[in-house]
Amino acid sequence: MTAFAGARPDWGRRNLRLLAVFAPVLILTGVLGLLLPPGRSPMSSAAPYDVFHLCFGTLGVAIALSGSARFAGLFNVGFGAVDLYQAFAGLLGIFPAGVFGLRPADHVVHVVFGALLVSFGVQAPQARRERTTR
């Protein structure tokens, strides 16, 4: 038996790592959206959508650099929920679908990233409770 046989995953650390990768992707998405000519991407090229990515990507990088697993988990749940809502909004044509110019490829990405972020983020509080009750 190995020393890690009974070890539980550290969801706080996993949330920080996920955010450290995801936040720069948000920033890159915003920058590319602003630089690429409209219509050259299968995804939205609306300026408000790109600014949204830049703002939240910057916030995510700041949280990741702070090393706060709690805030990383909160960001992942919150942004993941927003992603899932955007997929839903895009399919129904409700706010912010029109403002953000959401396309079918955006919906797919929002469902995938939204589910990933929420599934990681909801584990962070559970991991904290388990550590404090030992």
Side-chain angles (χ1 to χ4, degrees):
M1 201 177 239
T2 67
F4 298 107
R8 294 177 188 250
D10 184 349
W11 283 103
R13 181 164 298 168
R14 288 180 180 190
N15 271 278
L16 274 168
R17 286 182 184 156
L18 177 61
L19 187 55
V21 171
F22 181 69
V25 169
L26 284 176
I27 293 171
L28 182 62
T29 301
V31 168
L32 288 176
L34 291 171
L35 295 178
L36 289 175
R40 300 283 281 165
S41 170
M43 302 179 77
S44 174
S45 58
Y49 189 59
D50 298 326
V51 170
F52 173 84
H53 283 109
L54 290 170
C55 291
F56 280 93
T58 302
L59 176 61
V61 166
I63 291 170
L65 290 174
S66 80
S68 172
R70 178 173 183 246
F71 285 121
L74 289 170
F75 181 94
N76 289 343
V77 168
F79 198 88
V82 168
D83 263 359
L84 293 172
Y85 171 76
Q86 285 185 55
F88 177 75
L91 293 172
L92 295 180
I94 59 177
F95 181 81
V99 175
F100 283 177
L102 298 176
R103 296 178 171 180
D106 293 305
H107 309 330
V108 172
V109 170
H110 287 145
V111 169
V112 170
F113 280 118
L116 176 70
L117 290 167
V118 169
S119 67
F120 268 63
V122 297
Q123 297 296 325
Q126 180 65 30
R128 184 171 182 217
R129 278 195 297 275
E130 288 173 0
R131 273 190 298 240
T132 58
T133 59
R134 285 187 197 172

